Amino acid sequence: MCGIVGWVDYERDPSTDPLLARAMTDVLACRGPDDEGIFSARRVVLGHRRLSVIDRAGGAQPMTYDVGGDTVVALTFCGEVYNFRELRAELAAKGHVFRTRSDTEVVLHAYLEWGEALADRLNGMYAFGVWDARTEELLLVRDRMGVKPLYYHETGHGIVFGSEPKALFAHPAVPRTVDVEGLCEALDMVKTPEQAVFSALREVRPGQLLRVRRQGTVRRRYWTLEAREHPDDLRTTIGTVRGLLEDIVSRQLISDVPLCTLLSGGLDSSAVTALAAAQSASAVRSFSVDFSSHGREFAPDAVRSSPDAPFAVELAAHVGAEHTEVLLDSADLVDPRVRAAVLRATDLPPAFWGDMWPSLYLLFRAVRQRSTVALSGESADELFGGYLWFRNPRAIAADTFPWLTSGSARYFGGLGLLDPGLLEKLDIPGYRAARYREALAEVPVLPGEDATERRMREITYLNLTRFVQTLLDRKDRMSMAVGLEVRVPFCDHRLVEYVFNVPWAMKTFDGREKSLLRAATADLLPASILRRQKTPYPATQDPHYERALRAELSEVLADPDAPVRPLLDLGRARSTLDRVPGDVSRPYARGGIEMALWLNAWLRAYDVTLAI
């Protein structure tokens, strides 16, 4: 995995400013600690920070194709292409000659052979930029599910792009302004495609490519979810899911560096770990996370009925994995250095998910000491219907995003301490409603589909194009902050296309969540894990964590220069501090405090201009 940057300018020559190109590249050092490189030519500079995974000796970037000493095409690439061996063989049969074993060189030659149509042939997670010196055009491409990020800013006579906003902010042409829509996006769980919070930035949409020319930028969706008839019976469907998963995991086990799995003991991560163990010549490594103190014994809540640790240990023993449990303490979660690293990785206020941000960062930091690549179970819930809102009649019938309905919305709250006047000006309910209508208008229609199937297709589409993006962003930023590559088998577009079109009645044939996934992997897993209810990523219940947050909020309220103060209802914030936390601290009870603190840190660290 890597970090990429670039700058194309049709009025001036970017190559005459090497210090700026270096600055843009260097801020992504955490994404690529192993190597760096810059390509420059008339009209363009491309930068790259490399995390070496495939062909460590030969895959240096930016990579070029030269003829007669002149560069024809230059590529800066982030990610992995899992079908690169087949593509390499196909291209070799067409006369292409390769100098390395890397998937990067395969992408380079694929562009030479097929142009922008190469995007249709790639299987993987990626974001890349290709400069074509023959036409002086730049091609930007992002993977179908948006596993890898890609941001850009149009300057009026060119473009600046990079893996993260911080790379673009290193360029003086990119302002750090956030308007009303951007602040709504930061404060609500909607994740609108192409919206990047900062007014000057856009995100390349998953499954989208951009062709940048002197005349302007042309955008095209090369992939989107489509509604198709599902021809298979239940037995065939289960077998197809299993076959796809075996092929996907087999491809994603290819690595020239140490590899592991992230194991929670839930169905998704257990399935990935079991499939990996079945195909590995040696014992697979696995890692889980827990807290050294929950304040007392684990206390079940509405979404977490049991702790992960016993199930993770059982699965590891069942498949012979070499398992490590990473124990975190509340002091680690509130360590200012850790929280600063989290903010530096996200470039945005990481308020939603609360302590999950620092705990993920700390987990990945521990994993990185023994592995460079990790396989994760992300996206299975969105694809197979794992969340409660897939089965809650009120959430299904609601005229909004299902995760923002009664029962679920409190986990994504955090507006309770904000000034009522600010909230009225922002009109977050109106913003949410508009984004919801836009999302629904995109959902593909299958003629003759009954009302129930139609609605469940809509909910699945919303989860796969909106909700999962927040999880993929979180995982990318926290893993890349420590130079760890996380692969997500359930985001393979072949599996997504197939399962998206399986009728809902078949997806829930046993009356439970994720029926297809459970049936497809039943022979690999212990009965206890097959019976286990869906449980999210763990959150600390330790009241000491909440007390530390309250202490920090007290300091913010006492600081007249705190940038978040004008955004807060100071009276309500002070009354919150007067309430004493109980023996068990709940994530949803801390949401307002987390939001206030992260907003304050973000506004100060990034010198954000609020144009509201």
Side-chain angles (χ1 to χ4, degrees):
M1 204 60 60
C2 305
I4 64 172
V5 302
W7 174 20
V8 172
D9 198 306
Y10 293 105
E11 289 190 359
R12 57 176 291 193
D13 186 355
S15 65
T16 62
D17 199 342
L19 293 180
L20 180 53
R22 175 67 60 190
M24 293 174 62
T25 304
D26 285 349
V27 296
L28 296 181
C30 61
R31 297 186 72 93
D34 296 332
D35 199 4
E36 61 181 328
I38 291 177
F39 166 82
S40 63
R42 195 169 73 99
R43 307 290 185 214
V44 64
V45 293
L46 302 177
H48 191 268
R49 292 291 313 203
R50 187 182 183 207
L51 177 64
S52 303
V53 173
I54 302 293
D55 190 4
R56 301 179 71 183
Q61 294 191 53
M63 187 174 286
T64 64
Y65 178 78
D66 302 328
V67 175
D70 295 324
T71 295
V72 176
V73 173
L75 168 69
T76 184
F77 174 85
C78 165
E80 302 289 347
V81 174
Y82 301 123
N83 63 334
F84 77 98
R85 291 175 171 173
E86 296 96 314
L87 291 174
R88 180 190 176 103
E90 183 178 357
L91 289 163
K94 293 177 179 291
H96 291 261
V97 177
F98 293 88
R99 299 176 289 105
T100 75
R101 297 184 296 105
S102 70
D103 56 344
T104 302
E105 190 178 15
V106 172
V107 175
L108 184 68
H109 282 265
Y111 175 80
L112 290 166
E113 181 67 30
W114 297 302
E116 69 179 44
L118 91 161
D120 300 316
R121 296 173 174 265
L122 303 180
N123 177 322
M125 55 177 190
Y126 46 80
F128 60 86
V130 182
W131 174 252
D132 194 326
R134 298 166 298 187
T135 58
E136 291 195 331
E137 294 179 358
L138 174 75
L139 178 68
L140 297 179
V141 183
R142 191 179 182 197
D143 68 73
R144 294 169 178 84
M145 287 294 289
V147 181
K148 292 292 103 185
L150 185 55
Y151 294 84
Y152 66 97
H153 166 74
E154 294 182 271
T155 63
H157 40 83
I159 198 169
V160 180
F161 71 89
S163 295
E164 297 176 8
K166 63 174 66 65
L168 283 78
F169 291 144
H171 193 290
V174 185
R176 305 184 184 203
T177 302
V178 175
D179 60 17
V180 168
E181 283 201 354
L183 193 54
C184 286
E185 193 75 19
L187 296 177
D188 204 18
M189 271 288 293
V190 291
K191 188 56 181 174
T192 306
E194 301 186 55
Q195 241 285 6
V197 177
F198 291 96
S199 309
L201 303 188
R202 305 291 288 175
E203 251 192 302
V204 178
R205 186 181 181 129
Q208 185 183 60
L209 57 82
L210 273 65
R211 174 73 72 176
V212 181
R213 304 182 173 102
R214 179 183 291 274
Q215 298 84 354
T217 300
V218 177
R219 298 164 183 81
R220 180 173 73 83
R221 299 282 298 279
Y222 69 88
W223 183 85
T224 186
L225 286 166
E226 297 178 357
R228 301 169 184 161
E229 292 284 352
H230 183 71
D232 299 337
D233 60 17
L234 178 59
R235 182 175 181 180
T236 303
T237 299
I238 293 170
T240 301
V241 170
R242 173 61 173 267
L244 282 168
L245 286 173
E246 289 178 341
D247 180 70
I248 292 164
V249 171
S250 175
R251 292 174 182 273
Q252 297 196 19
L253 287 174
I254 297 173
S255 171
D256 292 339
V257 293
L259 179 145
C260 68
T261 69
L262 305 175
L263 175 62
S264 70
L267 177 61
D268 313 337
S269 63
S270 295
V272 169
T273 301
L275 286 162
Q279 300 187 51
S280 298
S282 58
V284 67
R285 288 178 179 156
S286 60
F287 291 84
S288 64
V289 65
D290 204 354
F291 301 98
S292 58
S293 173
H294 279 294
R296 59 188 181 99
E297 292 301 315
F298 175 85
D301 61 21
V303 295
R304 295 178 179 86
S305 59
S306 58
D308 285 345
F311 295 93
V313 170
E314 182 181 5
L315 189 282
H318 183 77
V319 302
E322 180 187 318
H323 185 66
T324 300
E325 182 180 54
V326 178
L327 283 176
L328 304 179
D329 187 85
S330 292
D332 301 324
L333 300 176
V334 294
D335 186 325
R337 294 166 298 180
V338 170
R339 295 175 76 82
V342 168
L343 181 60
R344 192 164 54 248
T346 60
D347 297 325
L348 293 172
F352 300 118
W353 319 109
D355 63 282
M356 295 185 202
W357 289 96
S359 71
L360 263 179
Y361 172 83
L362 291 166
L363 168 63
F364 291 154
R365 191 173 70 179
V367 171
R368 184 62 174 88
Q369 294 175 5
R370 297 185 61 193
S371 293
T372 308
V373 175
L375 270 62
S376 168
E378 216 76 77
S379 195
D381 287 307
E382 291 78 8
L383 183 58
F384 290 97
Y387 297 117
L388 289 173
W389 55 75
F390 278 96
R391 302 182 304 284
N392 182 335
R394 291 186 178 181
I396 292 170
D399 190 27
T400 190
F401 297 102
W403 53 90
L404 294 176
T405 55
S406 177
S408 300
R410 62 178 176 169
Y411 291 95
F412 309 114
L415 308 184
L417 300 188
L418 297 185
D419 177 67
L422 171 66
L423 294 176
E424 183 177 359
K425 180 185 293 186
L426 295 178
D427 185 20
I428 289 177
Y431 182 82
R432 181 187 298 179
R435 302 293 80 79
Y436 177 67
R437 289 192 297 271
E438 289 174 1
L440 278 190
E442 298 173 3
V443 181
V445 176
L446 187 64
E449 201 166 42
D450 66 36
T452 298
E453 288 294 336
R454 169 68 178 168
R455 182 55 180 162
M456 297 315 296
R457 183 184 294 279
E458 290 176 344
I459 289 177
T460 303
Y461 183 91
L462 295 174
N463 276 270
L464 288 171
T465 62
R466 271 43 176 198
F467 189 78
V468 78
Q469 295 304 313
T470 66
L471 305 184
L472 294 175
D473 280 355
R474 185 182 71 185
K475 188 143 286 182
D476 172 84
R477 302 309 190 275
M478 293 303 95
S479 60
M480 287 281 84
V482 297
L484 176 71
E485 175 180 297
V486 175
R487 299 177 178 178
V488 278
F490 291 111
C491 281
D492 186 290
H493 73 277
R494 298 169 299 158
L495 181 68
V496 172
E497 290 172 349
Y498 184 79
V499 176
F500 178 69
N501 285 294
V502 174
W504 183 249
M506 194 176 289
K507 289 180 182 176
T508 56
F509 73 89
D510 64 359
R512 289 200 57 188
E513 77 282 1
K514 294 185 284 194
S515 305
L516 284 181
L517 179 58
R518 184 176 294 102
T521 57
D523 62 314
L524 298 173
L525 305 176
S528 61
I529 290 175
L530 291 170
R531 292 192 303 264
R532 191 185 183 198
Q533 291 184 337
K534 160 66 185 173
T535 299
Y537 182 88
T540 185
Q541 299 177 345
D542 186 359
H544 290 92
Y545 173 75
E546 185 172 340
R547 291 190 186 103
L549 296 182
R550 289 167 177 264
E552 184 179 348
L553 179 60
S554 180
E555 293 176 3
V556 169
L557 296 180
D559 179 5
D561 297 323
V564 79
R565 278 178 63 94
L567 307 183
L568 296 181
D569 181 332
L570 298 178
R572 180 172 293 181
R574 292 187 179 103
S575 65
T576 296
L577 294 179
D578 292 336
R579 293 196 296 270
V580 179
D583 293 334
V584 176
S585 178
R586 302 295 189 188
Y588 48 80
R590 310 188 294 253
I593 301 175
E594 297 267 21
M595 178 67 78
L597 295 178
W598 282 120
L599 276 174
N600 190 66
W602 174 59
L603 292 168
R604 174 166 282 158
Y606 282 78
D607 193 23
V608 177
T609 299
L610 292 179
I612 58 175

